[in-house]
Amino acid sequence: MPITRRLSLLVLAATLAGCATTSNNVATVGAYRDTIDLDGRLSVNYQKNGNGESLTGSFDWTQRPGNVDVTLTGPLGQTVATISVTPQSATLTQAGRAPITEANIDSLTQRILGWPLPVSGLRDWLQGYAVDAQGQRFSASPARNEVTTQDGWRLRFVEWHDANAAQPVPRVIYATRAASGDIQDLSIRIIVNPAQA
């Protein structure tokens, strides 16, 4: 067999193998859970007052019916903030400072952290759900993985723990927003570890 034909067959085999790993799975995420424990990593990039800002860290997410508790940890393992959200209020606590309580967690995080952590949206996003720009419930799948939310976030569910599963689970989520107050070009990359049993 001529060498050029062998090379062509190898290229074709490699191409077909690459195609086999691409998922067109239309199965949506599993049923929404009010009780869930997750952890993962965040990277945040944004523009503020003409300057580029960048942050990285980890998060622990504990969700129960009506309550969410979040711990944000810096790259060296130090606790940056703890957040507790109930139907009545949201409280953010930083090391060495008194807790601050307000009604809206998203505006509270922007005011205290300097950028908006969309905790209210993350309740849905971490499980592959969102409310779209028309107010309809969106359920993500590997084949249908982008949505613009009612409050202006553009979400892309980029990677899945098993893209071919009967009920796939998001692994990597990109959330972007053009502007929010004095923040421009905000992008958040969320990596979600498998849910704890």
Side-chain angles (χ1 to χ4, degrees):
M1 180 182 292
I3 290 180
T4 55
R5 183 153 184 228
R6 276 190 211 151
L7 287 174
S8 296
L9 288 174
L10 286 173
V11 169
L12 177 62
T15 302
L16 291 174
C19 292
T21 61
T22 302
S23 175
N24 292 320
N25 188 1
V26 297
T28 59
V29 291
Y32 183 82
R33 293 178 284 166
D34 286 321
T35 299
I36 193 165
D37 295 312
L38 295 171
D39 60 63
R41 297 186 307 281
L42 291 171
S43 61
V44 181
N45 293 286
Y46 59 91
Q47 293 282 325
K48 185 172 184 176
N49 301 323
N51 297 316
E53 302 286 346
S54 182
L55 307 157
T56 60
S58 302
F59 69 91
D60 286 301
W61 180 277
T62 302
Q63 181 173 316
R64 301 294 179 262
N67 294 65
V68 173
D69 292 306
V70 185
T71 300
L72 299 176
T73 308
L76 300 178
Q78 74 280 20
T79 298
V80 174
T82 58
I83 299 165
S84 181
V85 183
T86 69
Q88 294 77 32
S89 65
T91 301
L92 189 148
T93 306
Q94 292 178 296
R97 299 184 185 177
I100 299 172
T101 301
E102 289 185 8
N104 184 295
I105 184 57
D106 296 350
S107 62
L108 176 61
T109 59
Q110 180 160 344
R111 189 167 68 78
I112 303 302
L113 299 178
W115 53 279
L117 177 66
V119 174
S120 53
L122 284 165
R123 285 185 180 113
D124 281 343
W125 305 353
L126 293 173
Q127 297 188 54
Y129 286 92
V131 176
D132 71 17
Q134 291 73 43
Q136 301 298 310
R137 189 79 165 150
F138 172 86
S139 301
S141 74
R144 184 172 176 250
N145 62 357
E146 291 189 32
V147 64
T148 299
T149 69
Q150 199 167 31
D151 55 352
W153 288 92
R154 182 168 180 252
L155 302 180
R156 285 180 48 222
F157 296 88
V158 180
E159 289 181 30
W160 302 82
H161 285 287
D162 179 356
N164 296 309
Q167 294 182 326
V169 176
R171 186 180 107 69
V172 179
I173 305 164
Y174 290 164
T176 58
R177 194 171 185 183
S180 176
D182 59 350
I183 303 290
Q184 292 82 43
D185 301 324
L186 173 63
S187 66
I188 303 175
R189 182 174 185 255
I190 304 158
I191 300 174
V192 186
N193 294 329
Q196 299 168 18

